[in-house]
Amino acid sequence: MNTTQKKQIRIGLLGFGAMGRTHTWAVRNLPFFYGALPFEAITAGICTTSLEKSRRVAEEFQIPLAVASEDELINDPTIDVIDICTPNIYHFETLKKALAAGKHVLCEKPLCISSAQAEEIAALPKRDGQITGMVFNNRWLAPILRAKQLVEEGRLGRILSFQGSYLHNSAADPNRPAGWKQDKRVCGGGVLFDLGSHVIDLMSFLCGRIREISGMSQIAYPTRLGLDGGAWETNADEAFYMTAITEDGAMGTMQVGKLQVGTNDELSFEIYGEKGALRFSLMEPNWLYFYDATLPASPICGERGFTKLECVGRYPDMIFPSPKAPAGWLYGHLASMHAYLSAVCEKNPFYPSLEDGAYVQAVMETAYASDTQKGVRLTVK
């Protein structure tokens, strides 16, 4: 009988919208998917918009502590990690308090609502062993992990061009009331903050950091229904289009939008190098397409062509379900949470870091600045 004491990691969760629910699921299900975890993680406290809601969530999801103020969790000596799943405009102040309290911090994207805020957060001192991280969960999908391996192995050679997109249909119907992610007063930006942060992080992760960018926003419906059912003036971009150049000279485009009729949760990219290429779509999460231009091109086509790599459920260290089981959207969040909590347990740095979040913030702010100048190309500072 193994009597080794596991390290307990107690999480204080701030916010319980879609992401708060997702993070709770990930924490609770880690023991099913990973064997012999060296830690035991529990969501020990919840703070939402009211004590009534916090209590309701706590009862439904068996969370021991429900509070009305985030300060109660931040200042609770029994809480190890502050998990930030609140609307974007609240991140800055919460991050400052949580870091000053010495808590480990996991923050949903985007880091803040301005590059100045993000730079201040990234520059704040951290205590020894204080682990911080961003939730760019798509990095942890099995095809993305494989794509990163192929890039680092040099299988694509020098990357020449790329295109990335993230398309939804949630703003395609002007009669559907706008949500908080469409309200600049709460989100701090529009679809660029929401979906664009994912695409910028992913293209930078795979293709290299962006040096220059140009951007153009689109508002298709200047007036739409608000949350109260009345007419509401749209104050944030509903789609955003970018061209970019990386530090190594690769050129590409990035498109994000919620106006695309017929789409669901369609994150996709194509990357083209001197020796190979990659294609991926989140709507086919089990597969990564790889073209190896070093293979013989004759006779006829030789051995060339896009190869469909069966990534499916082949995650490092994951023992359940079968590696042959089809992957799903939640797997990225699950693997991301496992990696972060393992870093907390082992006191290792975690990536993507808050500094990575600050970088993405700088790219988005530069894209917005370009938009105000009619799409002129600007250098990311």
Side-chain angles (χ1 to χ4, degrees), residues 2-65:
N2 186 359
T3 59
T4 302
Q5 185 72 31
K6 288 189 176 184
K7 177 180 176 62
Q8 187 175 79
I9 301 174
R10 294 171 59 82
I11 300 166
L13 178 63
L14 308 182
F16 202 80
M19 288 301 98
R21 182 181 290 264
T22 300
H23 289 206
T24 303
W25 178 90
V27 170
R28 188 160 297 178
N29 282 278
L30 285 173
F32 288 96
F33 289 82
Y34 294 92
L37 290 171
F39 60 84
E40 178 190 11
I42 64 168
T43 304
I46 177 70
C47 177
T48 66
T49 51
S50 68
L51 182 58
E52 179 185 8
K53 182 179 178 182
S54 295
R55 285 173 173 167
R56 186 169 66 249
V57 171
E59 181 179 1
E60 183 176 356
F61 293 91
Q62 296 84 52
I63 299 173
L65 177 64

Side-chain angles (χ1 to χ4, degrees), residues 323-368:
K324 296 181 179 181
W329 174 83
L330 281 167
Y331 276 32
H333 279 283
L334 184 78
S336 173
M337 186 65 73
H338 174 257
Y340 175 74
L341 293 175
S342 294
V344 170
C345 177
E346 297 161 10
K347 297 184 178 181
N348 289 329
F350 176 78
Y351 301 98
S353 63
L354 296 186
E355 289 76 12
D356 291 322
Y359 156 74
V360 170
Q361 199 82 44
V363 175
M364 294 190 297
E365 187 160 299
T366 307
Y368 272 136

